Amino acid sequence: MNQIELGNLCVWGGVQDVPGVRRRLPFSLQSLNGLLRLHINSEDKKSIVGHYADEDYSFITSPPGASDWGSHLGDAQFEYIRRFVGELRGKTVLEIGSGSLYMAERIVKELGAKRFIACDPVLKKKSASPSVEVFPDYFSSQAFKGQNIDLVMSMNNLEHVPDPLQYLSDIREILNPSRGLFFVMVPDCTQGLRRGDWGICLHEHLSYFTQDSFCSTMANIGFDIKEIISEEDEIIAVCAPSEPKAWVPVSPEESLSKIQKRFEASYLYAKDLFSKLESNGKGPVGIHGCSVAANQLLSELKLENSSHIYLFDRDEAKHGKFLPSFHRAILSTSSPEYKKMGAMVVGVSTYFDNIRNYALRQGFSDNQIFSLIPFSK
C-alpha cells in the first residue's frame, strides 16, 4: 500500500450557522520522501487554498482575540515566543497567517519589536499601533525581499501551504542570514497516526508532520533547529538559517497499511461505543469537544439525526452553531444540560485529561467518561 485512503470525507472549515455537509472530497494521504501529503487534485487544492482569502472564511479554531478559547491559545503561543525567542527590541518581525492582530500588538508592546508585519489575506483592518503593518495577502518571498527580517513567525499554517518545501525555502531567503530566526508551530501528527485519530483528517491540512519528518525536512531545506518541543500534539520550534544538506528521504516510521488499519479499527471502536451507550438506558450521551474527529465520525457513522446525542464545547464562538454533520446546535460546557448526560465522550484526544477532569468536577464518574478515539494514557 502506498497511500492511506479513508473515503469521501466532509470538507469542514469550522462550525456553521445551519447543519449540513456542503461538500465531500476523497481523503487520501501519500508518503513523499517520508512526509505525508494529502493526495488531492490541483483544482480542489486551489479551491481550498483560495478560500482563505474569502470574507466569510470560517476559522477552524478561533484566532486570538475572537473568543476566550482563541485568546487562551494565543496567550500560550505568546509565552512560547517569550520563552524561546525573548526580547525583540529594535527588531523586525513578520507573522505569516496572522488571523488577527492580537499577537502583533502584544509583541510590539511587551517584547519591544520595532516593526511588526502581519501577513494574512483575511486581515482587513489596520492596527492602532504605528509599529504594526498589515499585509492583506498571501505570503511570497518577493513581497519581503530586502526588508532585513529578524524573526518570521509561522503558527499553524505550514500544514496549509500547497508546497511546504518552497514555503520554507522562501522564509529562509528573506531572513537576516546572521541573526534571523524562524519560529514555527505545526500540528504533530505522531500520536494521531498511532491512534488512528480521525481528528487529523482535515482537507485544509495538505501536509502531516511527525517529529521525525519535521526535523528531517528542516535540515534538508537549510534550517538549524535551535529549540524544539512537542506539547499537546503541537511541534514548537525555533530555527536559524544554515547550509542546506543534501536531500535525504525520510524513512516512514511505520507502514501506511498499518496506519490504515488503525483508522479502520478506530471507526469500529466508535461505532461500538455509541451503540452500547445508546442501548444502556442510562440517559443521553454528550460529546465534549466539537472538532474534526467528532464531525467526521458522526458523519461516517450516520448519526447526523441522533436524538440521543448532545454536543458541548468550551469555545463560546461555537455555541449555538452546528457541526456540518449533526442536527443539534453546540451547547456551552456550562449549560445545565451537561450534567444531565448519562455518559460523556471526549471528542478531542489532545485534551483528554483536561476534559476528563472537567467532567469529574461536574459530577461524572470515571466509568461514565469515554474517549472518542481509542487510546490509553
Side-chain angles (χ1 to χ4, degrees), residues 30-65:
Q30 286 187 326
S31 179
L32 301 174
N33 289 321
L35 174 59
L36 284 178
R37 302 292 312 284
L38 184 68
H39 181 55
I40 189 170
N41 67 50
S42 57
E43 183 179 338
D44 287 329
K45 183 186 294 184
K46 185 177 179 180
S47 172
I48 289 169
V49 174
H51 184 48
Y52 301 153
D54 292 349
E55 289 190 7
D56 63 346
Y57 175 69
S58 176
F59 287 93
I60 295 166
T61 300
S62 302

Side-chain angles (χ1 to χ4, degrees), residues 138-179:
Y138 293 92
F139 166 75
S140 73
S141 60
Q142 288 297 119
F144 300 102
K145 266 188 176 179
Q147 298 202 34
N148 202 29
I149 307 294
D150 297 298
L151 174 67
V152 171
M153 296 162 43
S154 174
M155 296 180 289
N156 298 116
N157 55 45
L158 174 57
E159 66 274 18
H160 291 262
V161 299
D163 188 340
L165 305 184
Q166 186 61 56
Y167 174 79
L168 292 170
S169 295
D170 288 347
I171 289 173
R172 182 179 175 276
E173 181 182 346
I174 65 170
L175 275 172
N176 185 303
S178 61
R179 65 172 186 269

Side-chain angles (χ1 to χ4, degrees), residues 10 39 59 69 81 86-87 101 110 132 135 141 145 154 163 168 174 183 227 240 272 281 318 320 334 371:
C10 170
H39 181 55
F59 287 93
W69 177 246
I81 294 167
E87 185 76 20
L101 297 177
E110 299 180 45
V132 176
F135 184 80
S141 60
K145 266 188 176 179
S154 174
D163 188 340
L168 292 170
I174 65 170
F183 178 86
E227 301 274 358
D272 182 62
K318 295 180 180 178
S334 62
S371 174

Side-chain angles (χ1 to χ4, degrees), residues 194-317:
R194 289 174 182 167
R195 297 168 181 162
D197 189 343
W198 290 72
I200 71 170
C201 301
L202 187 63
H203 290 85
E204 284 194 6
H205 290 184
L206 305 177
S207 298
Y208 292 77
F209 289 91
T210 63
Q211 295 167 42
D212 286 347
S213 66
F214 174 84
C215 291
S216 298
T217 299
M218 298 305 288
N220 291 332
I221 290 297
F223 277 107
D224 180 25
I225 298 176
K226 300 296 185 183
E227 301 274 358
I228 185 168
I229 60 171
S230 180
E231 293 184 355
E232 295 185 340
D233 294 325
E234 191 87 22
I235 295 169
I236 304 109
V238 177
C239 313
S242 64
E243 288 299 314
K245 296 177 174 58
W247 186 268
V248 178
V250 186
S251 298
E253 294 179 5
E254 298 180 290
S255 70
L256 298 188
S257 60
K258 182 181 287 189
I259 296 172
Q260 170 94 33
K261 289 177 182 176
R262 288 209 182 107
F263 277 97
E264 293 168 355
S266 178
Y267 166 84
L268 293 174
Y269 162 87
K271 182 178 181 180
D272 182 62
L273 173 65
F274 282 112
S275 177
K276 288 180 178 177
L277 292 177
E278 188 167 359
S279 63
N280 67 11
K282 294 185 179 179
V285 175
I287 298 178
H288 182 154
C290 298
S291 193
V292 184
N295 185 66
Q296 299 293 17
L297 284 169
L298 285 170
S299 176
E300 292 303 296
L301 294 170
K302 303 189 186 318
L303 293 172
E304 299 97 325
N305 297 307
S306 173
S307 60
H308 199 67
I309 297 173
Y310 289 71
L311 306 182
F312 300 91
D313 203 279
R314 169 183 169 179
D315 186 353
E316 72 270 20

Side-chain angles (χ1 to χ4, degrees), residues 81-143:
I81 294 167
R82 188 203 295 273
R83 172 180 165 189
F84 291 135
V85 179
E87 185 76 20
L88 290 167
R89 196 161 304 280
K91 295 186 177 181
T92 297
V93 180
L94 167 65
E95 182 184 9
I96 305 171
S98 311
S100 73
L101 297 177
Y102 183 91
M103 295 295 288
E105 291 169 348
R106 281 200 69 180
I107 284 175
V108 166
K109 182 179 179 180
E110 299 180 45
L111 300 183
K114 179 181 179 181
R115 181 184 180 213
F116 194 108
I117 309 165
C119 172
D120 195 314
V122 303
L123 289 176
K124 306 302 180 187
K125 69 173 187 176
K126 294 183 178 180
S127 171
S129 169
S131 298
V132 176
E133 303 170 23
V134 173
F135 184 80
D137 206 341
Y138 293 92
F139 166 75
S140 73
S141 60
Q142 288 297 119

